[in-house]
Amino acid sequence: MGSRVGKTESKVLPNKAKPRGKYPHLKRAGDFLILSGTSARRADNSIAGAEVDRLGTTRLDIREQTRAVIENIRDILQQAGAQLNDVVEVTTFLVNMNDFGGYNEVYGEYFGYDGPARTTIAVHQLPHPHLLIEIRAVAYKPEK
């Protein structure tokens, strides 16, 4: 009895923020969809939940960024024929663990105890100073 891995396929989606390096938004490996770390960046490279006023005062909102990240993940999955309920694992990177409460609150609007396995890690920084959160996700969506 051998194992069938299935095909692999990488996708860079034209309607999402362009990856900041040479990697795809999404990689299919057999029945699994692996999403690269996803942030609150919009297609035009602005960042949801980040405002800078005319004096340079910055307001960063973990709840708004978390919602934008999960909605970006939802959109990427939908373009691969999957949904959020197909997600089996997430790894979340937070710049500040003081944001855990706000992140956890919004996360709970999308997922319950029957949702994906989850790990949350504090990191020193993300690729832009206005990013508070990044999430990588793995979904199980059998090939047709």
Side-chain angles (χ1 to χ4, degrees):
M1 291 180 17
S3 64
R4 180 181 152 302
V5 172
K7 69 178 182 174
T8 62
E9 180 182 8
S10 299
K11 289 186 179 182
V12 174
L13 304 171
N15 64 332
K16 303 310 285 176
K18 183 179 179 185
R20 294 181 57 139
K22 291 189 175 184
Y23 58 86
H25 290 107
L26 172 76
K27 178 89 173 188
R28 175 177 277 284
D31 292 339
F32 289 93
L33 300 169
I34 299 104
L35 278 68
S36 294
T38 302
S39 72
R41 278 176 58 222
R42 300 179 184 110
D44 67 359
N45 280 318
S46 64
I47 297 171
E51 295 177 8
V52 180
D53 71 16
R54 60 186 179 81
L55 299 176
T57 303
T58 303
R59 183 193 67 81
L60 304 176
D61 184 328
I62 188 61
R63 286 172 179 81
E64 190 176 338
Q65 285 199 20
T66 301
R67 191 167 282 106
V69 171
I70 295 172
E71 290 297 332
N72 275 336
I73 289 170
R74 181 199 308 266
D75 188 41
I76 292 167
L77 287 169
Q78 286 176 340
Q79 292 183 56
Q83 303 296 327
L84 283 176
N85 63 1
D86 295 314
V87 176
V88 295
E89 180 186 20
V90 298
T91 304
T92 302
F93 304 91
L94 293 178
V95 173
N96 188 334
M97 275 299 174
N98 289 328
D99 287 334
F100 185 85
Y103 147 69
N104 208 36
E105 177 185 308
V106 173
Y107 183 92
E109 296 172 11
Y110 292 89
F111 301 106
Y113 288 108
D114 61 344
R118 183 179 94 173
T119 302
T120 304
I121 301 166
V123 295
H124 174 67
Q125 61 187 11
L126 290 167
H128 189 284
H130 294 167
L131 292 176
L132 301 173
I133 182 172
E134 182 173 286
I135 299 176
R136 98 177 262 289
V138 177
Y140 179 72
K141 186 67 175 177
E143 294 181 278
K144 298 196 163 126

